[in-house]
């Protein structure tokens, strides 16, 4: 719900947070980093591009591929998405009395995401 308040859908924050600040990334690499299928990332990028958060351009050495660049409006909304994520993590930390348990859960989440990325590709 917090993401919707800033104009993002679930998962779009992951895409924006995965984009390099001053450079580009290939669509395939981005799909791998975010752990979604290339077709899914293309749909997500279409919406983000329509909203002016990202731009796509032909790959410098392979015209069959495209790269993604975060635009100024995307940098602004990414900062807001990061603030939302940080606030959520802080809230979780308050609810989990033991910081070690929270750390374990976050590590488990990351491990599961990595395993799923291999299955999704």
């Amino acid at each position: 719900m917090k993401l919707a308040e800033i104009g993002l859908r679930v998962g779009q924050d992951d895409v924006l947070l995965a984009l390099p600040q001053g450079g580009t990334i290939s669509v395939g690499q981005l799909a791998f980093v975010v752990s979604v299928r290339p077709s899914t990332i293309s749909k997500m990028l279409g919406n983000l591009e329509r909203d002016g958060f990202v731009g796509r351009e032909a790959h410098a050495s392979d015209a069959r591929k495209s790269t993604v660049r975060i635009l100024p409006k995307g940098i602004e909304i990414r900062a807001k998405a990061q603030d939302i994520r940080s606030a959520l993590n802080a809230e979780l930390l308050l609810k989990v009395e033991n910081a070690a348990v929270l750390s374990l859960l976050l590590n488990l989440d990351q491990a599961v995401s990595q395993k799923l990325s291999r299955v999704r590709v």
Side-chain angles (χ1 to χ4, degrees):
M1 291 184 350
K2 294 281 186 189
L3 290 175
E5 291 174 10
I6 62 169
L8 292 178
R9 295 183 183 107
V10 173
Q12 289 180 327
D13 57 324
D14 291 329
V15 173
L16 291 173
L17 292 167
L19 291 170
Q21 181 72 25
T24 62
I25 186 171
S26 76
V27 172
Q29 288 173 318
L30 185 59
F32 179 78
V33 169
V34 180
S35 300
V36 297
R37 294 179 183 189
S39 60
T40 302
I41 202 75
S42 290
K43 290 175 191 173
M44 295 171 84
L45 288 172
N47 290 327
L48 289 168
E49 192 173 24
R50 182 198 66 225
D51 294 337
F53 299 139
V54 302
R56 282 192 267 192
E57 52 199 46
H59 191 275
S61 62
D62 188 345
R64 297 171 297 168
K65 297 179 181 180
S66 62
T67 58
V68 183
R69 174 183 309 276
I70 191 163
L71 300 175
K73 187 176 176 184
I75 293 170
E76 183 181 316
I77 207 77
R78 174 172 60 186
K80 292 178 182 179
Q82 183 60 56
D83 289 345
I84 290 170
R85 186 170 285 190
S86 295
L88 177 61
N89 286 340
E91 185 179 328
L92 286 173
L93 187 56
L94 289 175
K95 291 185 181 195
V96 176
E97 292 180 16
N98 187 339
V101 172
L102 179 60
S103 177
L104 178 64
L105 290 172
L106 292 172
N107 287 336
L108 180 62
D109 180 59
Q110 183 178 13
V112 169
S113 292
Q114 288 174 347
K115 292 289 183 185
L116 286 176
S117 72
R118 293 186 185 116
V119 173
R120 289 182 185 141
V121 176

